[in-house]
Amino acid sequence: MSNIHKILNSMKNIAIVGLSPNEEKPSYFVSKYLQDLGYKIYPIYPKEDFILNEKVYRNLKEIPSKIDTVVMFRKASFANEIFEDLLTKNIKNFWMQLGIINEEIIQKCQKYGINCVQNCCIKIELQKKVDYGRIK
């Protein structure tokens, strides 16, 4: 099974790194889509108190709940900055959105047993599943 399928089949609580309050930004409409499908999202953004009616956190460490998946909308180098938090919080899935490529993080994730995807849109991949009737 590919990492894409492992992540899509196991995610429930999703931290969105770089979730913009701007409704025209991909991070916003992708996160809204996840929320509409019933996933619990945890926005991570440097400003704002609430985005999509969810409390905004400044970093992964602030989130008190168990997170199984992180979806990142930041520059590829930012993955290096949050990698230790993935380990500390025992997060099993890390998704770098379309256009984000970081081979070093892919290797680190493999080493530590974290399912990792890069340069791929989680919304597009979920829509494929929905189209095949796998998600109700």
Side-chain angles (χ1 to χ4, degrees):
M1 182 184 302
S2 74
N3 278 345
I4 289 173
H5 291 102
K6 286 178 187 173
I7 294 171
L8 296 183
N9 291 327
S10 67
M11 65 184 193
K12 291 180 179 69
N13 296 319
I14 307 167
I16 312 287
V17 177
L19 172 45
S20 171
N22 182 339
E23 294 179 20
E24 295 177 11
K25 297 271 186 169
S27 64
Y28 185 93
F29 59 78
V30 167
S31 298
K32 173 123 179 48
Y33 180 79
L34 291 170
Q35 203 178 39
D36 289 347
L37 285 178
Y39 294 102
K40 175 68 175 151
I41 64 165
Y42 297 84
I44 298 177
Y45 193 70
K47 302 174 277 212
E48 308 297 324
D49 291 323
F50 288 88
I51 300 174
L52 288 166
N53 297 316
E54 297 288 350
K55 178 180 176 4
V56 174
Y57 297 92
R58 303 302 170 231
N59 57 56
L60 284 170
K61 292 179 281 204
E62 281 187 9
I63 300 172
S65 305
K66 172 82 174 120
I67 300 297
D68 52 62
T69 305
V70 171
V71 177
M72 190 179 82
F73 284 89
R74 299 277 314 266
K75 290 181 182 172
S77 61
F78 192 73
N80 298 16
E81 293 181 38
I82 65 169
F83 186 76
E84 288 302 318
D85 293 343
L86 295 175
L87 294 177
T88 303
K89 291 194 65 76
N90 198 27
I91 294 167
K92 296 297 182 198
N93 302 315
F94 185 45
W95 192 294
M96 293 180 280
Q97 274 295 113
L98 205 55
I100 305 170
I101 298 170
N102 187 322
E103 291 298 332
E104 178 186 348
I105 290 301
I106 292 286
Q107 290 174 5
K108 282 183 174 182
C109 285
Q110 288 173 344
K111 179 179 176 183
Y112 289 98
I114 298 170
N115 301 313
C116 187
V117 172
Q118 66 180 347
N119 195 26
C120 194
C121 179
I122 198 165
K123 181 177 184 277
I124 291 170
E125 295 305 319
L126 272 169
Q127 285 172 325
K128 290 178 189 176
K129 284 185 70 159
V130 170
D131 289 345
Y132 291 114
R134 295 188 202 134
I135 293 179
K136 302 263 189 246

